[in-house]
Amino acid sequence: MIRCIKCNDVSSISKAGKVDKKQRYFCKNCNIHFTIPEKREDLKNESEKKQNVTIKDIAEALQISFSTVSKALLDNPVINPETKKKVLNMAKKMNYQPNLNAKSLVKHSSNTIGIIIPSIISSSFYPEVLQGVQEILSEKKYNSIICLSHESYENEIANCNQLINNRVDGVLISITSKTVETAHINQFKEHNIPFVFINRAPETIEASRVTVNNYDAGCKAVEHLIEQGCTRIAHIAGPPNLIFSKERLKGYYDTLIKHKHTIDQSLIVYNDLYTDNSKECIEHLLNLKNKPDGIFVYSDFIGIELIIAAKERGIEIPSQLCVVGMGNNPVSAIIEPQLTTILGPTLEMGKIATELLIDEIEGKNQKITNRLLDVELIVRKSSLK
Amino acid sequence: MIRCIKCNDVSSISKAGKVDKKQRYFCKNCNIHFTIPEKREDLKNESEKKQNVTIKDIAEALQISFSTVSKALLDNPVINPETKKKVLNMAKKMNYQPNLNAKSLVKHSSNTIGIIIPSIISSSFYPEVLQGVQEILSEKKYNSIICLSHESYENEIANCNQLINNRVDGVLISITSKTVETAHINQFKEHNIPFVFINRAPETIEASRVTVNNYDAGCKAVEHLIEQGCTRIAHIAGPPNLIFSKERLKGYYDTLIKHKHTIDQSLIVYNDLYTDNSKECIEHLLNLKNKPDGIFVYSDFIGIELIIAAKERGIEIPSQLCVVGMGNNPVSAIIEPQLTTILGPTLEMGKIATELLIDEIEGKNQKITNRLLDVELIVRKSSLK
DNA sequence: GTGAAAGCGCTAACAC
DNA sequence: GTGTTAGCGCTTTCAC
């Protein structure tokens, strides 16, 4: 026998489907739908699945309202310290874990940042950057979602959308070597999501960026090779559409010109990260009739390949060929001969970019920042004649 | 002049605070609170912040109900194809991005898995595993949250809580070398979150795990060293509380015993990943009066350090000392002499564990699986007398 | 100091 | 085939 919860009538009641597994009723008099309130305990029998503890459960256990529980949990000063203590204890006792999805929904912010990087296995560069990022993140109590674009433009677009869907509070991004259009990145602006470029940035977008001084890297490398007496200096350059490649190349050019060397286009080759043509690049240079006596390679990884290939051909390093790499890959210090390299502060880069981003998220910094980090030449055997 | 939205009376109305920046009213007759409905456009003037597009916005633009929009977006077959097309077009036009937090809240699942690993920079092992994980994840349309525990037990506990708070659908975990208690991991069970161990697993928890055949690795390494004529075979072992260390050590023991070698405890040293005592381990072995003539090192990284240290002391490899590492670090193939190593399928490990986890999440697999992956000995110069 | 209620954006059960 | 409604777990405003 069901009574209307409003008019208390019995005859006017009809069944009206089910809601949340409970019978729903309709009162013709009052024109309202209702269900018979049950205690949460009773439900447990129906659905065996153990539900997560919510603030409502804590409230019920303590016989107080759930908004009081919420306030206590948020350390709202208006709440009685006694009550707060009771709530905190009960939360612990019941093993309460707040639902961050619900919180994000009402707060319009997720306390999470997104990270888009091209790769995690091709070198130790991005792992080190990530390490720096994570250090700041855990210090500032932010979470992260990491996306790998695998140097694919399509993946990068998908990653951007995913991060928007997840309503991240901000994004750190290092673009792929294929990224030319940037509409997908500009989407973040439409959604009021701040973003900071790490290491690789497009020229066309106005946004903060943290990069190493690639121009200076090119200068330092070539300057050093010239000092060592090299006269035909080649360059294995990075993907041509990435700024860092262009800048290192410009440093290479300018330094050669400064020292009145002639520029020989056959001494410049470009690496494609997606197809990975590093072997071809190396072969091209080593097969030249008029061989180079110094090579600045934009990455240690390929520098190491170059050393191995040269040794196989009986080319003596450094007496016949000096090699300078970049990145300070751990291997560089181990191979024979040890590879001269240019060191950029990878861990620092991750840290600085993350701090910058969080400042933007928290409104502490509005203006666009362009951080250029210093590089350092580490001279080793591969370039010491 | 405000009228009650129910009884249409004017005199019974009083103001009752504000809700969502709109005036709220109370009708004494009907005992109800209400606000005067406004169009969303009007609100825009008040709050300049551009809001994200929601299904309600699409519904309004199309003059249909938002649940129809929801169904259309979810490709519910009940919806008229015409309507569906209109909705899809409008969603695209308005640049609609669904709010995954809201979806997670309703669906009680986030389509996201959590990953807890100890480190990302100490070797290429975890980056490669992650690569495999991400490949499956993007194929199966899952997202991920990556946590780094930095070999710290406290961090691992915090990571577990974070993942529970984020309501991930499942967890991949590789425990720290310090993890002995496992209550924090068992919490996942209480929250109905399936988890799979990768590479490192505690002995005490019943859960699926994907590991390499570490016992066999120990056997293969020592067997090979014995074949090469080594008679005093040492072992640099991993952290003693990790199963993989124990198993490799057991392989080492059993193979020595099988070949009637005597066990000399001074030939066994343990690496502590947290303090990183690898230098001390190496020095201990190389300083022994009665030096070993073969060493099985549990990781290539330390194997490489060992080779360098031995060369510095003028110990000839392999004639005076054979070295076998494990992990097939890219450097192993490059140093001089090249390091013999044991190769485990890292990428595969990530893939298999992820597939296993997703199957558990989707209820396709209930039973606990214990996948043991085969290892392979790669013989190089460092162990070939 | 506490409680009631609205609403974040969405899904799904049900009514029509 | 479309619309109405409740509810996911939480924060926040306002009433008392």
Side-chain angles (χ1 to χ4, degrees):
Chain A
M1 192 177 69
I2 307 296
R3 293 185 175 277
C4 172
I5 54 166
K6 197 165 176 186
C7 65
N8 234 8
D9 190 13
V10 176
S11 59
S12 62
I13 299 301
S14 60
K15 288 195 178 185
K18 293 209 168 185
V19 164
D20 201 28
K21 287 176 197 135
K22 291 193 298 189
Q23 184 61 54
R24 188 183 181 219
Y25 301 95
F26 179 68
C27 171
K28 273 174 268 180
N29 290 351
C30 309
N31 198 33
I32 60 165
H33 292 271
F34 61 91
T35 53
I36 306 299
E38 273 179 298
K39 281 188 196 157
R40 236 170 177 265
E41 277 86 334
D42 304 338
L43 279 169
K44 275 193 190 151
N45 307 329
E46 283 198 73
S47 60
E48 269 306 309
K49 270 192 238 161
K50 216 190 308 178
Q51 292 287 333
N52 281 311
V53 177
T54 71
I55 51 172
K56 283 187 186 169
D57 296 316
I58 299 177
E60 193 169 292
L62 253 27
Q63 289 296 313
I64 57 177
S65 88
F66 73 93
S67 67
T68 303
V69 174
S70 171
K71 282 170 200 151
L73 255 18
L74 292 175
D75 209 20
N76 187 323
V78 89
I79 296 291
N80 185 328
E82 287 273 301
T83 316
K84 198 176 288 177
K85 212 156 86 185
K86 267 194 273 179
V87 170
L88 259 30
N89 284 337
M90 184 56 81
K92 196 162 201 173
K93 187 179 154 199
M94 298 177 78
N95 193 18
Y96 169 72
Q97 299 282 3
N99 185 324
L100 261 29
N101 290 315
K103 182 169 183 165
S104 301
L105 193 57
V106 10
K107 301 277 284 188
H108 292 284
S109 92
S110 55
N111 223 50
T112 299
I113 73 146
I115 305 165
I116 305 178
I117 52 175
S119 160
I120 198 175
I121 50 169
S122 60
S123 79
S124 63
F125 179 83
Y126 284 110
E128 282 171 20
V129 170
L130 276 185
Q131 177 75 27
V133 171
Q134 298 284 355
E135 282 178 22
I136 301 298
L137 249 31
S138 74
E139 178 189 306
K140 306 251 184 185
K141 306 283 175 214
Y142 273 77
N143 302 324
S144 65
I145 297 177
I146 299 172
C147 302
L148 302 179
S149 60
H150 299 297
E151 301 285 359
S152 144
Y153 176 57
E154 286 71 30
N155 285 347
E156 191 174 88
I157 294 175
N159 293 335
C160 288
N161 283 327
Q162 189 212 312
L163 293 179
I164 292 173
N165 294 353
N166 275 298
R167 298 296 189 268
V168 293
D169 292 346
V171 174
L172 293 175
I173 177 167
S174 196
I175 61 172
T176 77
S177 52
K178 293 274 163 277
T179 304
V180 275
E181 287 284 338
T182 53
H184 58 299
I185 301 175
N186 264 319
Q187 268 195 103
F188 289 131
K189 290 192 179 172
E190 289 164 30
H191 290 268
N192 297 310
I193 300 175
F195 55 96
V196 170
F197 290 106
I198 298 195
N199 189 45
R200 299 184 188 175
E203 288 158 293
T204 49
I205 294 189
E206 289 237 336
S208 292
R209 59 196 65 201
V210 180
T211 51
V212 295
N213 194 334
N214 289 295
Y215 177 74
D216 191 42
C219 295
K220 280 193 164 121
V222 175
E223 197 79 49
H224 171 69
L225 288 170
I226 290 175
E227 271 172 22
Q228 294 300 312
C230 298
T231 53
R232 274 183 68 71
I233 298 173
H235 180 34
I236 300 182
N241 67 311
L242 291 178
I243 303 183
F244 80 70
S245 308
K246 291 183 194 170
E247 289 179 342
R248 290 178 203 178
L249 185 62
K250 190 160 188 305
Y252 164 86
Y253 273 135
D254 287 2
T255 309
L256 286 182
I257 290 167
K258 179 180 155 201
H259 287 274
K260 311 229 187 319
H261 283 235
T262 52
I263 306 287
D264 180 347
Q265 290 298 338
S266 73
L267 290 178
I268 301 167
V269 285
Y270 296 89
N271 178 219
D272 183 320
L273 284 170
Y274 195 64
T275 60
D276 193 9
N277 62 344
S278 51
K279 287 239 176 324
E280 288 88 325
C281 292
I282 291 168
E283 280 180 12
H284 167 84
L285 292 180
L286 297 187
N287 286 342
L288 284 175
K289 275 181 210 150
N290 194 356
K291 287 192 175 45
D293 57 359
I295 304 183
F296 167 41
V297 190
Y298 86 104
S299 108
D300 274 4
F301 208 76
I302 299 176
I304 290 158
E305 278 190 79
L306 172 62
I307 288 180
I308 294 167
K311 279 165 80 175
E312 277 173 5
R313 287 159 188 255
I315 299 174
E316 285 243 322
I317 297 174
S319 62
Q320 298 181 331
L321 176 66
C322 288
V323 181
V324 175
M326 181 157 176
N328 196 32
N329 190 306
V331 190
S332 309
I334 288 173
I335 53 158
E336 194 47 45
Q338 295 182 0
L339 176 60
T340 294
T341 189
I342 288 176
L343 167 68
T346 47
L347 201 102
E348 274 301 302
M349 203 148 132
K351 285 189 180 183
I352 293 171
T354 311
E355 281 169 347
L356 217 56
L357 179 65
I358 292 180
D359 280 353
E360 288 192 22
I361 290 170
E362 297 179 351
K364 290 180 199 152
N365 178 23
Q366 304 290 356
K367 56 181 188 294
I368 289 172
T369 314
N370 195 341
R371 283 292 298 269
L372 206 57
L373 306 182
D374 285 339
V375 295
E376 194 186 327
L377 181 74
I378 301 180
V379 179
R380 299 204 188 100
K381 286 186 206 156
S382 74
S383 66
L384 270 187
K385 277 195 178 168
Chain B
M1 195 175 70
I2 308 296
R3 291 184 177 278
C4 173
I5 53 166
K6 196 164 180 187
C7 64
N8 233 9
D9 189 12
V10 176
S11 59
S12 62
I13 300 299
S14 59
K15 289 195 177 182
K18 293 207 167 185
V19 164
D20 202 27
K21 287 174 197 138
K22 292 193 296 188
Q23 184 60 54
R24 189 183 179 220
Y25 301 96
F26 178 69
C27 172
K28 272 172 268 180
N29 289 350
C30 309
N31 199 32
I32 62 164
H33 291 269
F34 61 92
T35 54
I36 306 298
E38 275 179 298
K39 282 185 193 158
R40 235 172 178 266
E41 277 86 338
D42 304 337
L43 280 170
K44 272 191 192 152
N45 306 329
E46 284 199 74
S47 63
E48 269 305 310
K49 270 193 236 160
K50 214 189 309 174
Q51 292 287 335
N52 282 311
V53 177
T54 70
I55 51 172
K56 282 188 185 167
D57 297 317
I58 298 176
E60 193 170 292
L62 253 27
Q63 288 295 312
I64 57 177
S65 87
F66 74 92
S67 70
T68 304
V69 174
S70 171
K71 283 171 200 147
L73 256 17
L74 292 174
D75 209 22
N76 188 323
V78 90
I79 296 292
N80 185 328
E82 287 274 302
T83 316
K84 197 176 289 179
K85 213 156 82 184
K86 266 195 274 181
V87 169
L88 259 29
N89 285 338
M90 184 56 82
K92 196 163 201 171
K93 188 178 154 200
M94 298 177 77
N95 193 18
Y96 168 74
Q97 299 281 3
N99 185 324
L100 260 32
N101 290 315
K103 183 169 180 163
S104 301
L105 194 57
V106 177
K107 301 277 284 187
H108 292 284
S109 92
S110 55
N111 223 50
T112 299
I113 73 146
I115 305 164
I116 303 177
I117 52 174
S119 161
I120 196 175
I121 50 169
S122 60
S123 79
S124 63
F125 180 83
Y126 284 110
E128 281 170 21
V129 170
L130 276 184
Q131 177 74 26
V133 171
Q134 298 285 356
E135 280 177 25
I136 300 300
L137 249 30
S138 75
E139 178 190 304
K140 305 250 184 183
K141 307 283 175 214
Y142 273 78
N143 300 325
S144 64
I145 296 178
I146 299 172
C147 302
L148 302 179
S149 60
H150 300 296
E151 301 285 1
S152 143
Y153 176 56
E154 285 72 29
N155 285 348
E156 191 174 89
I157 294 175
N159 293 334
C160 289
N161 282 327
Q162 189 211 314
L163 294 179
I164 291 173
N165 294 352
N166 276 298
R167 297 297 189 267
V168 293
D169 292 346
V171 173
L172 293 175
I173 178 166
S174 196
I175 62 172
T176 76
S177 51
K178 292 274 163 278
T179 305
V180 276
E181 286 285 337
T182 52
H184 58 299
I185 301 175
N186 264 321
Q187 268 195 102
F188 290 131
K189 289 191 180 171
E190 288 164 30
H191 289 268
N192 296 309
I193 300 175
F195 55 98
V196 170
F197 290 105
I198 298 193
N199 191 43
R200 299 184 189 174
E203 288 158 293
T204 48
I205 295 190
E206 289 236 337
S208 292
R209 58 196 65 199
V210 181
T211 51
V212 295
N213 194 334
N214 289 294
Y215 178 75
D216 191 41
C219 296
K220 279 194 164 122
V222 175
E223 197 81 50
H224 170 70
L225 288 170
I226 290 175
E227 273 173 21
Q228 295 299 311
C230 297
T231 53
R232 272 184 69 72
I233 297 173
H235 180 33
I236 301 183
N241 68 310
L242 292 178
I243 302 183
F244 80 70
S245 307
K246 292 183 194 169
E247 289 178 341
R248 290 178 201 177
L249 184 61
K250 188 160 191 306
Y252 163 87
Y253 274 134
D254 286 3
T255 311
L256 285 183
I257 290 167
K258 180 179 153 200
H259 289 272
K260 311 231 188 316
H261 283 234
T262 52
I263 305 286
D264 180 348
Q265 290 298 339
S266 72
L267 291 177
I268 300 167
V269 285
Y270 295 90
N271 179 216
D272 183 319
L273 284 171
Y274 195 65
T275 59
D276 194 10
N277 62 344
S278 52
K279 288 241 175 321
E280 288 89 324
C281 291
I282 291 168
E283 279 180 13
H284 167 85
L285 291 180
L286 297 187
N287 285 343
L288 284 174
K289 275 180 212 155
N290 195 356
K291 288 192 174 42
D293 58 357
I295 305 183
F296 166 42
V297 190
Y298 86 104
S299 110
D300 274 5
F301 208 75
I302 299 177
I304 290 158
E305 278 190 79
L306 172 62
I307 288 181
I308 294 167
K311 278 165 80 175
E312 278 173 4
R313 287 161 187 255
I315 299 173
E316 285 243 321
I317 297 174
S319 62
Q320 299 181 330
L321 176 66
C322 287
V323 181
V324 176
M326 181 158 179
N328 196 31
N329 190 305
V331 189
S332 310
I334 287 173
I335 51 158
E336 192 49 44
Q338 295 183 358
L339 176 62
T340 294
T341 188
I342 288 178
L343 168 69
T346 48
L347 202 103
E348 275 300 303
M349 203 148 131
K351 285 189 179 183
I352 292 170
T354 312
E355 281 169 346
L356 216 57
L357 179 65
I358 292 181
D359 279 354
E360 288 191 22
I361 290 171
E362 296 179 352
K364 289 177 197 152
N365 179 21
Q366 306 289 358
K367 58 181 184 297
I368 289 172
T369 315
N370 195 341
R371 282 291 296 271
L372 207 58
L373 306 181
D374 285 340
V375 295
E376 195 185 326
L377 181 74
I378 302 180
V379 179
R380 299 205 187 100
K381 286 185 207 155
S382 73
S383 66
L384 269 188
K385 279 197 178 167

